[in-house]
Amino acid sequence: MSWYRNTVWFVKGLREYTRGGYESASKRFNPADVEVDVAGRAFLVTGANSGIGKATAKEIARRGGTVHLVCRNKERAEVAKEELVTETGNQNIFLHIVDISNPKEIWKFAEKFQNEHKLNVLINNAGCMVNNRELTEDGLEKNFATNTLGTYIMTTALLPLLEKAADARVRQQVVLTEQWAKAHRNIHFSVMHPGWADTPAVRSSMPDFYERMKNSLRTEAQGADTVLWLAVSAEATKLPSGLFFQDRQPVPTHLPLAYTHSPPEDEEKLMEMLEEFSQKFKSVSPGI
């Protein structure tokens, strides 16, 4: 019976994450939530040269925001920046070349960024799905280095800048979001699932899944919709900090019967270990 229930929940959940799920959910959206002018506010988007990151950056730029694109590949990033400037007419789009899997680079970038810019919203979009074990030049497993440690360092390093801003917001991984929301009451933290969208990451990292699902996948803009809503909407900050969102509404962070809950002491230990680990790279970073 539990197998049957789990199967039903899996199929239902998969359907909710597809284009059809978005189209159904969007019927309750209020378009006015994101019809806002964000001129004068600064947004930093990691992994912004393609996919959901680029779609998010484009929508923010259309609304007049100052957008900082943080990308790894210089050539692709420059092309993306020019496209965004041309399509939105917004000249306040800036490019920063940073490898989010390299903790020393992130510390160095953040130190420089704090001295030169202001920041209202940090969108931790960069991530990777490496199927085979791959190590970075620092000997770190690449998925961990990018998705967890890199996100942790980027946010930690920029928290002092965000603390100075009015209506500061951050988006990142679930456990980190929950823990930081408790510790930093002046910043609104949130995390979201974009659904299954037709992005370069899905096509390259999940080719079999992509071939089966490509006609049902969300567009990049649909995948980015909740990111945009969390970044610019006044409605988002009326909800508590630290929640997990799907299609503009908070949802549980764990599936029924998934047994993925972690004890609070384990989550606190994770934060302690990430802090200790991240500081090792900060201490050897040149110029810091």
Side-chain angles (χ1 to χ4, degrees):
M1 188 63 175
S2 64
W3 172 86
Y4 172 77
R5 286 200 301 268
N6 278 335
T7 301
V8 170
W9 280 322
F10 172 78
V11 172
K12 181 175 180 289
L14 186 62
R15 186 165 56 244
E16 288 177 350
Y17 288 141
T18 62
R19 186 188 310 150
Y22 174 84
E23 291 170 349
S24 176
S26 65
K27 293 174 182 177
R28 59 173 168 76
F29 292 175
N30 181 359
D33 284 358
V34 293
E35 291 174 359
V36 294
D37 183 349
V38 292
R41 289 177 62 76
F43 300 76
L44 189 154
V45 186
T46 66
N49 67 286
S50 66
I52 290 170
K54 183 180 177 184
T56 301
K58 181 190 297 184
E59 293 305 318
I60 292 170
R62 281 178 174 162
R63 288 158 175 80
T66 296
V67 184
H68 296 274
L69 313 175
V70 175
C71 307
R72 179 176 58 87
N73 185 286
K74 188 174 187 293
E75 290 73 25
R76 290 201 295 266
E78 287 176 342
V79 171
K81 177 191 171 183
E82 290 307 311
E83 288 178 4
L84 293 179
V85 170
T86 300
E87 292 178 23
T88 68
N90 189 335
Q91 298 294 321
N92 294 318
I93 300 177
F94 303 93
L95 182 58
H96 311 272
I97 305 303
V98 184
D99 184 348
I100 303 298
S101 72
N102 187 320
K104 294 187 287 293
E105 268 191 38
I106 302 171
W107 278 119
K108 185 176 180 180
F109 159 75
E111 182 76 7
K112 186 173 186 290
F113 188 89
Q114 287 190 78
N115 293 330
E116 298 176 355
H117 304 282
K118 73 169 191 173
L119 182 62
N120 297 96
V121 181
L122 169 61
I123 300 173
N124 287 305
N125 167 77
C128 67
M129 293 183 285
V130 179
N131 296 321
N132 298 315
R133 181 173 172 79
E134 185 178 330
L135 300 181
T136 69
E137 63 181 40
D138 296 301
L140 303 171
E141 193 278 321
K142 193 164 187 178
N143 288 298
F144 166 77
T146 306
N147 303 336
T148 304
L149 184 62
T151 294
Y152 179 87
I153 294 175
M154 181 66 78
T155 306
T156 297
L158 294 176
L159 279 174
L161 193 58
L162 288 161
E163 290 279 9
K164 300 174 185 176
D167 188 19
R169 311 185 192 190
V170 180
R171 175 209 164 229
Q172 70 240 330
Q173 290 194 25
V174 175
V175 172
L176 301 185
T177 294
E178 293 171 341
Q179 294 298 314
W180 268 318
K182 296 175 186 176
H184 301 276
R185 302 292 184 179
N186 295 331
I187 302 173
H188 195 272
F189 292 85
S190 53
V191 64
M192 59 79 69
H193 195 302
W196 293 111
D198 189 349
T199 65
V202 169
R203 292 194 292 271
S204 63
S205 300
M206 307 171 68
D208 294 339
F209 173 83
Y210 173 75
E211 282 302 316
R212 291 196 302 270
M213 299 294 295
K214 61 184 178 182
N215 294 325
S216 300
L217 296 178
R218 298 181 177 201
T219 66
E220 292 174 346
Q222 290 171 342
D225 177 80
T226 298
V227 186
L228 178 70
W229 183 80
L230 289 168
V232 306
S233 170
E235 293 302 308
T237 53
K238 292 179 182 178
L239 295 164
S241 180
L243 298 182
F244 176 49
F245 290 82
Q246 178 186 338
D247 291 331
R248 299 193 190 185
Q249 66 179 1
V251 294
T253 55
H254 302 273
L255 293 173
L257 303 180
Y259 305 108
T260 53
H261 291 269
S262 301
E265 56 270 23
D266 286 357
E267 295 184 357
E268 291 170 6
K269 184 64 176 177
L270 169 65
M271 299 299 283
E272 291 172 5
M273 292 177 67
L274 285 172
E275 176 62 17
E276 180 181 347
F277 202 34
S278 69
Q279 290 298 323
K280 293 179 180 178
F281 294 98
K282 183 179 182 180
S283 64
V284 298
S285 297
I288 296 180

